Amino acid sequence: MEVISSFQVNHIKLLRGLYESRIDGDLITYDLRMKEPNREKVMSTGACHTIEHIGATYLRNLDIAKEVIYFGPMGCRTGFYMIMRNINKTKAFSVATDMMRFILAFEGEIPGAQPDQCGNYSDMDLVAAKKDVQEYLNTLVNATDANVTYPEIKA
């Protein structure tokens, strides 16, 4: 089988950051890489799940909500995919930064964390989510080219 493009990114050199992962017509997949693969401890499932619920709710309440196609975790638990329609990288970076600030300030009941709304509603951890978000937000605020440009693609 052909190796898919995301597996061709050199994860040994990949840093925390926000990367344009792929473009499919007007759909752009952004890689919100919150942890350095294979070097940092991955997010707990509770933290990941909490970020997913709050982040997805936040995005779908923006004025660009119709441009938001998907926001969800990577199986490796090192980040999230944010799929947007016609949203350039500069705007995506701004949206992601604002979303992290929103999650960091969030208090109260996690959106959708009810048994009739979620298949694993009790696996939430706002404290751990905020810790991971703070680390990622620090990366975004201090981003260099290395945090927004993928390392070389493996041949």
Side-chain angles (χ1 to χ4, degrees), residues 5-33:
S5 60
S6 62
F7 294 158
Q8 294 177 37
V9 174
N10 188 338
H11 285 64
I12 294 168
K13 295 183 178 184
L14 189 57
L15 301 176
R16 274 189 246 146
L18 187 146
Y19 304 92
E20 194 173 80
S21 178
R22 60 183 286 162
I23 299 174
D24 299 288
D26 63 349
L27 297 180
I28 305 165
T29 301
Y30 293 100
D31 171 347
L32 279 62
R33 191 63 61 155

Side-chain angles (χ1 to χ4, degrees), residues 85-98:
R85 174 174 284 118
N86 293 321
I87 300 293
N88 68 34
K89 192 173 182 178
T90 301
K91 178 67 173 176
F93 193 93
S94 174
V95 166
T97 301
D98 290 346

Side-chain angles (χ1 to χ4, degrees), residues 76-114:
C76 61
R77 292 183 287 141
T78 63
F80 292 83
Y81 288 116
M82 183 173 71
I83 304 173
M84 320 262 312
R85 174 174 284 118
N86 293 321
I87 300 293
N88 68 34
K89 192 173 182 178
T90 301
K91 178 67 173 176
F93 193 93
S94 174
V95 166
T97 301
D98 290 346
M99 176 175 56
M100 294 304 144
R101 287 187 174 116
F102 179 83
I103 295 169
L104 200 55
F106 187 86
E107 295 295 333
E109 187 175 316
I110 308 300
Q114 298 295 320

Side-chain angles (χ1 to χ4, degrees), residues 94-136:
S94 174
V95 166
T97 301
D98 290 346
M99 176 175 56
M100 294 304 144
R101 287 187 174 116
F102 179 83
I103 295 169
L104 200 55
F106 187 86
E107 295 295 333
E109 187 175 316
I110 308 300
Q114 298 295 320
D116 61 330
Q117 299 171 331
C118 177
N120 193 12
Y121 76 98
S122 64
D123 187 16
M124 300 283 178
D125 188 341
L126 184 57
V127 171
K130 286 185 175 191
K131 180 181 180 296
D132 290 332
V133 164
Q134 183 63 69
E135 291 172 353
Y136 184 60

Side-chain angles (χ1 to χ4, degrees), residues 50-62 65 68 71 99 102-103 106 110-113:
T50 302
I51 294 166
E52 175 196 15
H53 275 238
I54 299 171
T57 301
Y58 173 81
L59 290 170
R60 289 185 175 89
N61 278 279
L62 293 176
V68 177
F71 176 75
M99 176 175 56
F102 179 83
I103 295 169
F106 187 86
I110 308 300

